[in-house]
Structure formats: structure tokens, C-alpha cells
Amino acid sequence: MRFSGWRIVREGLTGNRGWRPHWRTPDPKPEYDIVIIGGGGHGLATAFYLAKEHGLLNVAVLEKGYLGGGNVGRNTTIVRANYNLPGNSEFYSHSLKLWEGMEQELNFNTMMSQRGVLNLFHSDGQRDYAARRGNSMRLQGDDAELLDREQVRAMVPYLDFDTARFPIYGGLFHARGGTARHDAVAWGYARGADARGVDLIQNCEVTGIDIAGGRVQGVQTTRGAIRARKVGIVVAGRSSQVAALAGMRLPIESHVLQAFVTEGLKPCIDHVVTFGMGHFYISQSDKGGLVFGGDLDFYASYAARGNLPMAEHVMEAAMTLMPMIGKARVLRSWGGIMDMSPDGSPIIDRTGIEGLYLNCGWCYGGFKAVPGSGFSFAHLIATDRPHAPAARFRLDRFATGRGLMDEEGTGAQHNLH
Amino acid sequence: MRLSCPLCGERDRREFTYQGAAAMVDRPAPGATTEQWSDWLHLRDNPAGRTRDLWYHEAGCGAWLVVERDTVTHEIFGTALVGGDHAD
Ligand SMILES: Cc1cc2nc3c(=O)[nH]c(=O)nc-3n(C[C@H](O)[C@H](O)[C@H](O)COP(=O)(O)OP(=O)(O)OC[C@H]3O[C@@H](n4cnc5c(N)ncnc54)[C@H](O)[C@@H]3O)c2cc1C
Ligand SMILES: [Zn+2]
């Protein structure tokens, strides 16, 4: 079933009776070539690219809940390629290019909106860093523009420019960044994978990983045993539990990140804006809600909800930056479980067990990574060789100390990235 | 969430700074292998459920605490000073 303008007109004239479910609900087969554990954005994109790029069709995605019920449906949808360090820089650059072609590739409206990401700075030191980061972005081939205070004022006049404590000095503008509809991204990849023959199996929790002679043999699930030649773990906040089924201990600590949305308002915030003092970022959804968030709650947690001190901190930062937000009423808040790594950068790699592959450590930034991560993970699983843009996301970098990517420069403490 | 400091009593969570798993207290011996040091610094049990972790009573007495709590429900079972002196 393809979407097109013509199709919408035809369905509209015939009572919308021709639409069909976007994917099948198959029962698990006893054996697959490849099993992907986790039906979030990364798992679904991996399955899609295994089928599309490598012609591997005997693939299943096993999801313990429903497709897109994890972080992919809980994030604040910011997409960008504005990283500073080698490794991250080329990877997110590649991912953003895939975003730019995603709607055509999937024939699905993911509402990708390149409205621009504006990172504000509030001191000379922050300006220097923004300039350096902008140069890194441009050297990578992405776009970045250093704006002074008056240029920022012309773009976002509603900010408070003159607070005594955190005056706005300027901003780094990344015009190709923006937002997308998070659920649609999961659904689009699910639909594309299913159409190519991938089995998407929901309500199927992996409870064991079978290993014999150092090789993966398959998985145990709440819907029975499934044999597989290769198994990929892509379960975000649950990475430690699933890896433990294979006897692995990971460099991951799970933390809760909260987000907030207001009642729907008329368009007033045209870009993604981030505050440089006290973590706060905001955009306006196409429905009109102001979507915003801040830092982690800072302590290890598997509760998909946070505590009030961080809610208060985020609201304070919001009021400091844009006092007009005080008139909006918060509609909802929620949390998601983040797989925090010791350097704040992800892992896409083989494991010590043959046929078992690992994709985790996305921290709070894995939504923008969905297409790139799926593409690179599929490449690794299919060919057993790392995909160039993700080649530095090695699991052994923590043990060797080579190639750590600590964008924030905070050291090996999971909650500080 | 509120934490009970053995020295100061029950206090708001904002007075405390989180450090990480309590296992961090057991540093490898000086002659340990690089692998042991790396495991200690980077790897975590990261349980979904009961856990023990380190908190610093930063805006209070300055003591380091081991807090036993549940990472799923946020229930607190008990707190103790690092290195002894148990309290509830
Ligand atoms: C509040 C919030 C805001 C965020 N904002 C942004 C942002 O603006 N930009 C950005 O780039 N990123 C953002 N992120 C991060 C991003 O959402 C995540 O990094 C990314 O979604 C994680 O990958 P995923 O989609 O595959 O994870 P998930 O959607 O969590 O997928 C993992 C899946 O694995 C399943 N699973 C777990 N255990 C098992 C098992 N044993 N068997 C079978 N299935 C299992 C889970 O049910 C889940 O569906 C945000 C996250 C949160 C919570
Ligand atoms: Zn105290």
C-alpha cells in the first residue's frame, strides 16, 4: 500500500474503505537468520536496512511491549548533526543525510521539519567553544553559522536578552537541524521492514540468549524458543539486563530523563532553541504544544517518570530564558530510561560471543541517530565489518582508553554526560 | 524523593549529590591489572530493582552515604555512612 496524493483523494471519495493495517502480526517462526531484540527506532531501522541494503529477509524483530512504546515514542524529537569530536561528527552527519531522504525512502510522512537548531551562548568562553564546534561541523561538511547577539535577537525576539545573570551573547545556528514526528519514524521503518518480509513480533520478551561453544544459537522468549544464526541487542535503557542474559556486564548505567509539553498554542517558537546556562531546550510541535526538557534526574532509575526537583529546575530555566512561557500551562510530563555510557557516546560493535552484536549507549541523544544507527548496525550484522561512519563506536574503547568520545569533557561518570 | 542522612535525619533529595554504584568504594588494589581497573571504572551491574549507591550530603553535613533503594519504584530501604555506623 503506497501513500500518495492521488491515493488520499481516491480514499476520500470512496469512504476510506481501502486502508489496510500497516504491518502483519505474525507468529514467531522456530528459526530466523537474524533476530533483532528490541522494537524501538534503532531495532526497526536495523531490520529495514538489513532487508533493503543487504537483501536479508529472514529476519525477526522481537519487542516485549508494542512497537515504538519505548524511548522512540517518548523523546523530544530533536534531529541535528552538530557534534564536535571525530567519531560522533561523521556518524551524525551520515544520519542527518538519511533523515533528509527518509520520507521518500519510506514513502511515509515522518514530518521531518528542518526548522533549525539554535544553541545559545552566554559568555566569552562559551562563544569560543561554539566557534570551534561550528568549525568542526563545517569541516565535516555540515552547516553552522555563528550569530551575534543582534542576529539572535532578530531571529528569536521573545527571549530575555538582558538578564543580569545570563545575558545572551549569541548563538550557533544549525539550519539543517530540526524535529520529526517520533512515532511516525518507528511506524515508517516498521512498515518498510514488514513490507520486505521482516516479521515484527510484539508482546515477545527475550528471557534468555542461547550460547554454545562461544557462538549464539538463538533466544528464549515469552513466546517460545527461537533459533537464530545472528542476534542483535538494541534495547536502549534495558541493555544491561539483556546483555546479562549472555553473561555480559556493560559500561552502561540507566537514568531517567524527563520531558514536558504544554497545551496547544498558536505558532510562536519557530526553531529548536537551547539555553546554554542550566540545561533547557524547547521546540513547538506541529500540534502547537511547546515541547521542552532539561537534564537527567542524575540518579540511576528504571522508573519511566522523574522527580520534582528536575521539573522545578527545568521550569526555572524556561522562565529565565523566555518569560513569556509563564503564561502557558503544562499539559503532561513523562520520563524515559536512558542507556548512559561512560563517555556519553554510543556503542555499535561485535561482542566476545560470535554472532552476537550490541547497539547501546545512546544516552539522551539517540532519536537523531535512528536512521544512521540502523544503517550501520545492519551493515555490521550483515557483513561482520564495521560501517565506516560508526567504526569508532567500539566497545573496547573503555578498556583500552583509545578513542573515547567525551563531548562534554566530564570524565568517566555515566550521569554527567 | 527524600533521603535519611544518619547524621542529619530525613532531608530533601536536592541536598544530596549522586555519585554511582556503591561498588565504587571497593577500589582495586594498587597492583591490579588494567582490566580490573577498567572494569571498576566503567562496568556496572545496573540492576532494575534493589541497588546500593553512593550519595554525598553536599548541602548538609558533607558525609558520604550508601543508600539502599529500588531503581524501579524509587523506594528507599535504608541509608548508612560509608565505612560503617548503620542507621535507618
Ligand atoms: C524524554 C526524552 C527526550 C529525548 N530527547 C531526544 C532528542 O530530542 N533527540 C534525540 O536525538 N534523542 C532524544 N532522546 C533519546 C532517544 O529517544 C533514545 O536514545 C532512542 O529512542 C533509543 O533508541 P530506541 O528508539 O531503539 O529505544 P526504545 O524505543 O526504548 O527501544 C528499545 C525497545 O527494546 C524493548 N525491549 C527491552 N527489553 C527487551 C527484551 N528483553 N525483549 C524484547 N524487547 C525488549 C523495549 O520494550 C523497547 O521498545 C530522548 C529520550 C527521552 C526519554
Ligand atoms: Zn548529613
Side-chain angles (χ1 to χ4, degrees):
Chain A
M1 183 179 73
R2 279 191 69 78
F3 289 109
S4 65
W6 155 242
R7 179 73 194 253
I8 288 175
V9 171
R10 197 181 74 191
E11 291 298 334
L13 293 175
T14 56
N16 283 306
R17 280 188 295 268
W19 302 117
R20 294 284 170 267
H22 287 319
W23 51 80
R24 300 162 294 130
T25 8
D27 287 323
K29 291 192 281 189
E31 180 165 0
Y32 291 92
D33 291 340
I34 300 171
V35 157
I36 302 297
I37 310 176
H42 293 233
L44 293 167
T46 303
F48 174 80
Y49 289 116
L50 279 171
K52 176 167 182 255
E53 298 295 323
H54 305 280
L56 295 166
L57 307 178
N58 188 19
V59 175
V61 177
L62 310 182
E63 165 55 46
K64 79 171 171 178
Y66 60 94
L67 298 180
N71 289 335
V72 72
R74 291 170 171 268
N75 64 77
T76 42
T77 79
I78 299 166
V79 173
R80 57 188 166 90
N82 60 355
Y83 283 70
N84 187 33
L85 297 179
N88 285 329
S89 188
E90 62 260 32
F91 173 80
Y92 288 103
S93 181
H94 176 243
S95 196
L96 182 57
K97 290 183 192 111
L98 291 173
W99 276 103
E100 290 174 331
M102 180 191 287
E103 292 179 343
Q104 301 305 319
E105 183 169 38
L106 298 177
N107 175 236
F108 203 82
N109 183 6
T110 57
M111 295 164 77
M112 173 60 172
S113 158
Q114 292 178 293
R115 57 187 67 183
V117 174
L118 177 64
N119 297 129
L120 299 170
F121 48 79
H122 311 264
S123 69
D124 290 333
Q126 283 195 332
R127 182 198 285 117
D128 288 350
Y129 176 69
R132 180 167 192 267
R133 178 162 156 182
N135 287 338
S136 301
M137 291 158 67
R138 294 175 80 131
L139 285 169
Q140 184 58 51
D142 295 316
D143 69 284
E145 200 183 337
L146 198 67
L147 304 181
D148 66 22
R149 180 182 161 91
E150 291 318 310
Q151 288 170 302
V152 170
R153 199 196 293 272
M155 189 182 269
V156 285
Y158 51 82
L159 300 182
D160 184 353
F161 282 79
D162 301 308
T163 60
R165 185 71 183 82
F166 304 125
I168 293 170
Y169 277 42
L172 185 64
F173 189 61
H174 172 42
R176 283 165 64 229
T179 61
R181 170 83 202 276
H182 45 15
D183 297 317
V185 174
W187 298 335
Y189 277 115
R191 173 171 167 272
D194 174 87
R196 286 170 171 79
V198 171
D199 282 357
L200 307 175
I201 299 165
Q202 308 185 57
N203 297 310
C204 180
E205 178 173 354
V206 171
T207 53
I209 297 179
D210 299 331
I211 297 158
R215 243 210 100 80
V216 79
Q217 310 289 324
V219 294
Q220 300 291 326
T221 79
T222 48
R223 297 181 65 179
I226 301 174
R227 289 191 304 279
R229 289 194 302 113
K230 294 182 173 182
V231 173
I233 302 176
V234 215
V235 292
R238 291 278 167 180
S239 297
S240 296
Q241 277 78 45
V242 176
L245 301 176
M248 293 170 65
R249 215 163 148 245
L250 296 185
I252 298 289
E253 200 170 84
S254 294
H255 284 262
V256 59
L257 179 71
Q258 302 193 59
F260 309 84
V261 65
T262 69
E263 60 196 332
L265 303 169
K266 287 189 178 170
C268 57
I269 295 181
D270 301 329
H271 315 88
V272 177
V273 181
T274 75
F275 186 32
M277 288 286 177
H279 205 74
F280 171 76
Y281 60 92
I282 188 163
S283 66
Q284 186 166 18
S285 78
D286 290 346
K287 255 196 297 188
L290 305 182
V291 181
F292 58 97
D295 266 318
L296 297 175
D297 270 26
F298 288 124
Y299 51 88
S301 170
Y302 283 88
R305 61 186 156 70
N307 246 303
L308 287 174
M310 189 47 69
E312 183 180 37
H313 172 83
V314 170
M315 304 296 165
E316 283 172 357
M319 288 299 291
T320 308
L321 183 64
M322 46 179 80
M324 72 173 184
I325 202 174
K327 291 189 179 165
R329 279 169 298 194
V330 172
L331 201 61
R332 279 180 291 128
S333 76
W334 64 93
I337 309 165
M338 320 283 38
D339 37 336
M340 302 302 296
S341 70
D343 64 354
S345 293
I347 296 158
I348 298 182
D349 206 348
R350 284 173 287 230
T351 64
I353 296 151
E354 230 187 303
L356 185 66
Y357 305 83
L358 180 67
N359 178 324
C360 65
W362 294 98
C363 302
Y364 37 76
F367 180 65
K368 70 180 89 68
V370 163
S373 162
F375 198 98
S376 294
F377 200 39
H379 184 280
L380 176 73
I381 293 173
T383 67
D384 264 310
R385 285 192 309 277
H387 183 230
R392 296 195 198 218
F393 292 167
R394 297 172 63 114
L395 177 57
D396 69 1
R397 68 179 184 268
F398 304 104
T400 63
R402 275 195 298 276
L404 293 170
M405 289 161 283
D406 185 349
E407 293 272 342
E408 315 247 335
T410 46
Q413 193 176 327
H414 299 75
N415 61 338
L416 296 186
H417 294 287
Chain B
M1 195 158 93
R2 289 170 76 78
L3 294 178
S4 174
C5 172
L7 302 179
C8 311
E10 198 181 72
R11 295 298 181 94
D12 190 291
R13 172 253 175 281
R14 274 170 289 199
E15 292 188 10
F16 301 86
T17 304
Y18 174 84
Q19 172 70 31
M24 294 293 285
V25 169
D26 303 319
R27 285 167 71 95
T33 62
T34 327
E35 197 187 341
Q36 284 168 321
W37 278 105
S38 167
D39 289 1
W40 171 77
L41 186 60
H42 300 118
L43 303 190
R44 296 287 181 271
D45 288 336
N46 196 20
R50 229 175 158 102
T51 193
R52 292 171 73 247
D53 41 30
L54 293 175
W55 297 71
Y56 173 51
H57 197 181
E58 188 172 23
C61 63
W64 280 95
L65 313 180
V66 176
V67 177
E68 191 161 352
R69 63 187 185 94
D70 192 307
T71 56
V72 178
T73 62
H74 292 170
E75 184 181 356
I76 312 281
F77 302 113
T79 50
L81 295 174
V82 170
D85 276 344
H86 286 267
D88 285 323

